[in-house]
Amino acid sequence: AHGYAVASGDKDWIHYSNSSLMDNVTVGIDYVPSDGADNIESSSAVTLKYTGIDGLTIGAGMGEDNGEGAAAAIDVTVFNATYAMDAITVGWSTSEEDSNAASSDVTLTAMGISYAVNDDISVSLNSSTHEYEDTTKSDQEATGISVSYTMGSLSLKANHNSVDNIAGTSTDDRSGYALTLGFTF
């Protein structure tokens, strides 16, 4: 199968995806044309997704974002994988933003695991790190844990999330809790 998408508004963009070129492989292409009024060059990206092994999904992408002009253009590279086996799902992702602007590169690494204890209870743990090339910034580190319980039409969910060094600021740490009770009618 394949598809096209075209949007208009502040910016026009084109997206094309095709999963019929090769079994278990999906290719995506994105293109944002240049904006002559702001002297911004076009941006583009290519993505690949492979699902040929039971439970495993592997993705990769690369592109160039010229949305801020040539001086701040960013080359982006992304790799990710998830593997689901019975009640356990594990995920990993990394991305690198290589900027033309000095000391502006950012690398993100994220990992997560979820476990369905049974049909009613599941837990998950996730973490991520943003590493900044700018030596005046501290690495941002985030951790989250969540638990959910379902009993008939009742669901109870709880989570705790914490982020240290938000946007690279060593004095900006935050954490929060949430508890949600829901009913389905």
Side-chain angles (χ1 to χ4, degrees), residues 106-181:
V106 179
T107 301
L108 166 67
T109 304
M111 297 179 1
I113 185 168
S114 66
Y115 177 62
V117 177
N118 55 41
D119 289 343
D120 301 325
I121 301 172
S122 63
V123 296
S124 67
L125 176 64
N126 300 285
S127 68
S128 67
T129 302
H130 285 82
E131 296 178 32
Y132 298 97
E133 178 185 25
D134 185 343
T135 57
T136 64
K137 293 184 174 184
S138 300
D139 292 347
Q140 175 180 300
E141 298 177 350
T143 304
I145 187 167
S146 64
V147 177
S148 68
Y149 174 70
T150 305
M151 182 175 62
S153 63
L154 172 71
S155 66
L156 180 62
K157 300 176 183 177
N159 67 56
H160 174 261
N161 297 292
S162 65
V163 182
D164 293 338
N165 310 323
I166 295 174
T169 304
S170 62
T171 57
D172 195 357
D173 299 340
R174 299 181 195 168
S175 65
Y177 298 88
L179 183 62
T180 306
L181 178 62

Side-chain angles (χ1 to χ4, degrees), residues 2-8 12-17 29-33:
H2 64 277
Y4 294 90
V6 178
S8 60
D12 293 332
W13 57 270
I14 299 169
H15 171 75
Y16 170 77
S17 66
I29 300 171
D30 292 283
Y31 178 74
V32 178

